[in-house]
Amino acid sequence: MLTRNCLLLFLWFVFDNGLLTPLHSPPQNRPAKEQRRGIVELMRNGPSSFQRVKRGWVWNQFFVLEEYMGSDPQYVGKLHSDLDKGDSAVKYTLSGDGAGSIFTIDEITGDIHALRSLDREEKPYYTLRAQAVDIKTGRPLEPESEFVIKVQDINDNEPKFLEGPYTASVPEMSPVGTYVTQVTATDADDPTYGNSARVVYSILRGQPYFAVEPKTGVIRTALPNMDREVKELYQILIQAKDMGGQLGGLAGTTTINITLSDVNDNPPRFPKNIIHLRVPESSPVGSTVGRIKAHDPDAGKNAEVEYTIVPGDGGAMFDITTNEQTQEGILILKKPLDYETKKSYTFKVDASNAQLDHRFHNTGPFKDTATIKINILDVDEPPVFDKSSYTMNVYEDTPVGIIIGAVTAQDMDAGSSPVRYSIDWKSDLDSYFDIDPVKGTISTNELLDRENIPQHNISIVATKVNNPVLTSKVDVTVHVQDVNEFPPEFAIPYETFVCENSRVGQLIQTVSAKDRDMPPAGQKFFFKSPPETIKNPNFTVQDFRNNTAGILTKLSGFSRRLQDIYYLPVVIEDSGYPVLSSTNTLTIRVCGCDTDGSLLSCNVEAIFLPVGLSTGALIAILLCIIILLGDKRRRRP
């Protein structure tokens, strides 16, 4: 019994190490698992179990090694039937997957060979059918049986990263062990056989910053406090090796580009505590007077800077905005500058951004402050007129060379340069006016005609003597006024009478005037008696100062018999240029009135009939009048 067990252990060792294999399973092809299964059966049943089984076919599953490089066809195995006595009376045939093209069989011996090299990754197994027939009669000796030829794997494929190269990102300052990404390599070899497809990952380049888990391919951070501002991009090389990473295994590599994403761990910083700027006093309101920049080494929104002026000297004069592209602070002028009034400004500006990420730091305040000193530069400015525009009036008959007005400009700079004046020739093409270059007085250069050009618009140029390129202009409007050509006259023909019983100082007529030169709205008239009639004993003229005058009596009582008609000259003056006047004669009749002053009669006959005239004389006078009237009628055409 001891001898039997020793024999069994020896056979276990021999078969397990491939030193002996049954004829239908070559040592290099027989799986160890099947070999061990046979040994177990042998140990259970004794030596008799190693004998040929009582069945028609004597064969099992076959194996063929892939990528066979030998010069002769590779031996696969042997088909054998119990009916085959070795006398060449049995013929073996092969059909099915690859029969004749890939696999061939010796019809007499039943030996199967592979005709060419096979690739397990292309086709892992072949299914064939075997048949044993009588070589003489051709009749099947046994039913057709199906069997499989498996292509046995060898380690001929290296692991491959199908999705590489990889890109990944991890926040800067991440703690050790932070997950970054995972890579996966595939091996085309048989994962169920041996270690050909068992992959192990390792890092070839990228230490000490990152590490890889050997079995999973997970990439994690390996160094604490990695700072994006120091180094942002890391390129690591990962290797995947089969055979469990053992010596002789095949390997593949891939590259992973890892970027440290930014966190807001840096406040903005001005390059200097004091920033000096110089601004010309001539800078227009709304213009950019300077640019400042606080640098923030962070990226994206974490690097966006907001600038504010600290309340003080500069807040009223300047404003500040942020350029979103450059993150510069743009200083903008809010009010005009004047070097002569204030020569410098000093104020502070804060630069800040989003709140600090306290996961990584806990410091503050998260801003920086700089002092801005702006020096105002004196600019040689053009002269300044004392008025924004001028208006002048001149009569159309003004002689050439008469001064009609003047303009005045001054140099407001510290040097106070003299100013010279000229007329912009584009505004006075016909040279109607001239100007004194030193005094600025404007005079006529030609006779003006209101009916032709009632208004002239000219521009006066003021130039600094010490800097002729600095000039300023002002508009001058010259109104040509009409000359007084028509004297005033009575407004209407007046029929004036005085009562015989009038009193001294009695108003007998109110007169007014008209003038064809001026419109009624602007007329002003003055009334008086001519100098030669000032001592008129009968009537006087009194000017009421409202464009009317009154005729007053200077006697108490008038007589028609003595004088029935008086002629009173009245002088009327207007307010035009030049002043015109006219003498208008007012006819005053003497009439009879009642005690109330009401007119009764202005009969001429009553005035001229003398007392005691005879009837014959009256008849003679009437006849003369009739004859004169008749003669006048005959003379009419």
Side-chain angles (χ1 to χ4, degrees):
M1 187 67 177
L2 180 61
T3 302
R4 177 173 176 268
N5 290 336
C6 290
L7 178 62
L8 290 177
L9 289 174
F10 174 76
L11 291 176
W12 173 277
F13 173 80
V14 170
F15 277 94
D16 189 65
N17 289 272
L19 301 178
L20 181 63
T21 309
L23 291 178
H24 59 271
S25 182
Q28 68 272 26
N29 299 334
R30 186 72 178 270
K33 188 182 295 185
E34 291 190 12
Q35 295 174 7
R36 287 192 293 270
R37 189 184 305 119
I39 296 300
V40 171
E41 182 180 351
L42 180 64
M43 294 175 65
R44 288 176 179 175
N45 301 324
S48 60
S49 64
F50 192 69
Q51 298 176 358
R52 179 170 52 84
V53 180
K54 296 296 183 177
R55 57 188 177 89
W57 290 106
V58 183
W59 49 270
N60 206 335
Q61 178 173 281
F62 296 105
F63 293 87
V64 59
L65 193 67
E66 71 168 331
E67 306 292 346
Y68 175 73
M69 302 300 294
S71 57
D72 298 328
Q74 181 182 185
Y75 178 75
V76 178
K78 176 187 287 290
L79 293 179
H80 185 73
S81 173
D82 288 344
L83 299 178
D84 186 358
K85 306 302 183 181
D87 54 2
S88 301
V90 178
K91 174 183 177 181
Y92 296 95
T93 63
L94 194 64
S95 63
D97 205 4
S101 59
I102 299 177
F103 301 102
T104 183
I105 189 170
D106 187 310
E107 294 181 349
I108 300 302
T109 64
D111 292 332
I112 301 173
H113 290 81
L115 299 176
R116 60 182 177 85
S117 177
L118 301 179
D119 186 357
R120 188 201 69 83
E121 286 72 40
E122 180 180 334
K123 190 173 178 64
Y125 64 90
Y126 296 84
T127 302
L128 296 99
R129 294 180 300 279
Q131 180 71 67
V133 298
D134 188 291
I135 196 169
K136 293 181 179 180
T137 64
R139 290 184 303 170
L141 299 177
E142 292 184 7
E144 187 178 57
S145 180
E146 184 177 84
F147 66 96
V148 173
I149 298 178
K150 292 187 65 176
V151 181
Q152 184 172 327
D153 183 54
I154 64 172
N155 191 22
D156 60 340
N157 291 278
E158 74 278 5
K160 293 182 179 180
F161 295 92
L162 302 180
E163 298 180 3
Y166 296 83
T167 59
S169 177
V170 63
E172 63 174 330
M173 301 297 174
S174 296
V176 174
T178 300
Y179 175 87
V180 179
T181 188
Q182 183 177 17
V183 296
T184 302
T186 59
D187 194 315
D189 292 324
D190 189 357
T192 64
Y193 179 75
N195 294 326
S196 297
R198 189 162 70 89
V199 177
V200 173
Y201 301 93
S202 62
I203 184 167
L204 300 182
R205 184 176 67 241
Q207 302 96 338
Y209 306 103
F210 299 94
V212 61
E213 294 180 357
K215 294 183 179 181
T216 64
V218 171
I219 312 297
R220 299 184 184 275
T221 58
L223 192 68
N225 300 326
M226 286 188 290
D227 191 353
R228 185 199 69 86
E229 287 73 42
V230 175
K231 185 176 181 180
E232 181 178 8
L233 180 63
Y234 295 81
Q235 189 177 74
I236 67 174
L237 186 65
I238 299 296
Q239 174 184 269
K241 190 174 184 180
D242 60 15
M243 299 298 292
Q246 297 178 4
L247 185 66
L250 302 179
T253 60
T254 188
T255 300
I256 306 175
N257 295 309
I258 300 176
T259 302
L260 296 184
S261 61
D262 186 61
V263 298
N264 195 23
D265 58 339
N266 293 281
R269 287 284 183 261
F270 284 106
K272 297 183 294 184
N273 293 330
I274 300 177
I275 300 174
H276 294 273
L277 298 174
R278 295 187 297 175
V279 181
E281 65 172 331
S282 59
S283 300
V285 173
S287 63
T288 298
V289 298
R291 295 172 181 266
I292 61 176
K293 185 173 183 179
H295 178 68
D296 190 326
D298 293 325
K301 285 194 171 297
N302 295 330
E304 293 180 357
V305 181
E306 181 181 359
Y307 299 90
T308 54
I309 295 178
V310 178
D313 187 28
M317 293 296 297
F318 303 95
D319 196 3
I320 191 167
T321 61
T322 302
N323 185 308
E324 294 182 358
Q325 281 71 40
T326 64
Q327 295 303 312
E328 291 178 306
I330 311 299
L331 281 167
I332 300 173
L333 184 62
K334 294 171 61 177
K335 294 182 179 181
L337 299 172
D338 186 7
Y339 172 82
E340 288 70 29
T341 302
K342 190 174 178 64
K343 296 178 174 56
S344 66
Y345 293 87
T346 301
F347 54 92
K348 292 184 178 182
V349 172
D350 287 339
S352 60
N353 61 11
Q355 185 59 40
L356 178 68
D357 195 327
H358 292 286
R359 294 178 299 169
F360 305 100
H361 292 283
N362 190 18
T363 59
F366 208 54
K367 67 178 182 179
D368 196 17
T369 302
T371 299
I372 311 297
K373 290 190 175 182
I374 297 181
N375 292 322
I376 308 304
L377 302 179
D378 187 21
V379 175
D380 203 5
E381 298 173 299
V384 178
F385 285 96
D386 60 352
K387 293 182 180 180
S388 60
S389 63
Y390 294 84
T391 300
M392 300 177 184
N393 298 315
V394 59
Y395 287 101
E396 60 180 334
D397 64 346
T398 300
V400 173
I402 297 299
I403 295 175
I404 63 173
V407 297
T408 302
Q410 294 181 359
D411 180 15
M412 306 304 294
D413 292 327
S416 187
S417 169
V419 177
R420 295 294 180 262
Y421 304 94
S422 62
I423 297 178
D424 185 1
W425 65 271
K426 294 181 181 180
S427 65
D428 189 24
L429 297 177
D430 295 326
S431 302
Y432 284 103
F433 304 94
D434 196 4
I435 188 169
D436 187 299
V438 177
K439 298 179 180 179
T441 55
I442 300 174
S443 59
T444 58
N445 198 38
E446 293 185 16
L447 289 176
L448 304 178
D449 185 359
R450 179 184 178 279
E451 284 69 34
N452 185 24
I453 304 177
Q455 177 178 303
H456 294 265
N457 298 306
I458 61 175
S459 293
I460 304 300
V461 179
T463 305
K464 295 178 67 169
V465 173
N466 63 2
N467 192 350
V469 299
L470 293 178
T471 62
S472 57
K473 288 184 180 182
V474 69
D475 292 329
V476 177
T477 301
V478 179
H479 295 288
V480 181
Q481 295 183 329
D482 191 24
V483 172
N484 196 11
E485 299 175 305
F486 300 97
E489 58 186 4
F490 281 139
I492 59 173
Y494 292 100
E495 295 182 358
T496 305
F497 70 92
V498 61
C499 296
E500 290 181 305
N501 58 353
S502 62
R503 299 181 305 275
V504 175
Q506 184 175 344
L507 177 65
I508 63 172
Q509 182 68 58
T510 300
V511 296
S512 61
K514 65 180 180 180
D515 193 328
R516 287 182 288 170
D517 284 316
M518 297 182 295
Q523 293 178 343
K524 184 67 175 176
F525 300 108
F526 305 95
F527 302 86
K528 64 182 178 178
S529 298
E532 66 273 10
T533 62
I534 291 178
K535 296 183 179 181
N536 187 321
N538 302 308
F539 305 97
T540 185
V541 178
Q542 182 177 349
D543 192 343
F544 293 153
R545 302 297 178 180
N546 60 358
N547 286 350
T548 64
I551 308 301
L552 304 175
T553 61
K554 296 177 68 176
L555 296 177
S556 177
F558 290 84
S559 175
R560 285 179 290 174
R561 292 182 179 181
L562 296 178
Q563 187 174 345
D564 64 336
I565 295 177
Y566 292 87
Y567 298 99
L568 178 65
V570 178
V571 177
I572 307 175
E573 291 182 353
D574 61 18
S575 57
Y577 176 82
V579 175
L580 294 182
S581 64
S582 65
T583 301
N584 297 260
T585 301
L586 183 67
T587 301
I588 305 173
R589 298 178 65 190
V590 181
C591 300
C593 305
D594 59 14
T595 57
D596 295 332
S598 299
L599 179 64
L600 295 178
S601 173
C602 293
N603 192 337
V604 178
E605 292 181 355
I607 299 173
F608 287 100
L609 289 179
V611 179
L613 191 62
S614 64
T615 303
L618 294 174
I619 294 173
I621 293 172
L622 291 175
L623 287 174
C624 289
I625 293 174
I626 294 172
I627 293 171
L628 291 173
L629 292 175
D631 182 63
K632 187 176 180 180
R633 290 178 179 175
R634 286 194 299 267
R635 290 180 182 179
R636 289 181 179 176

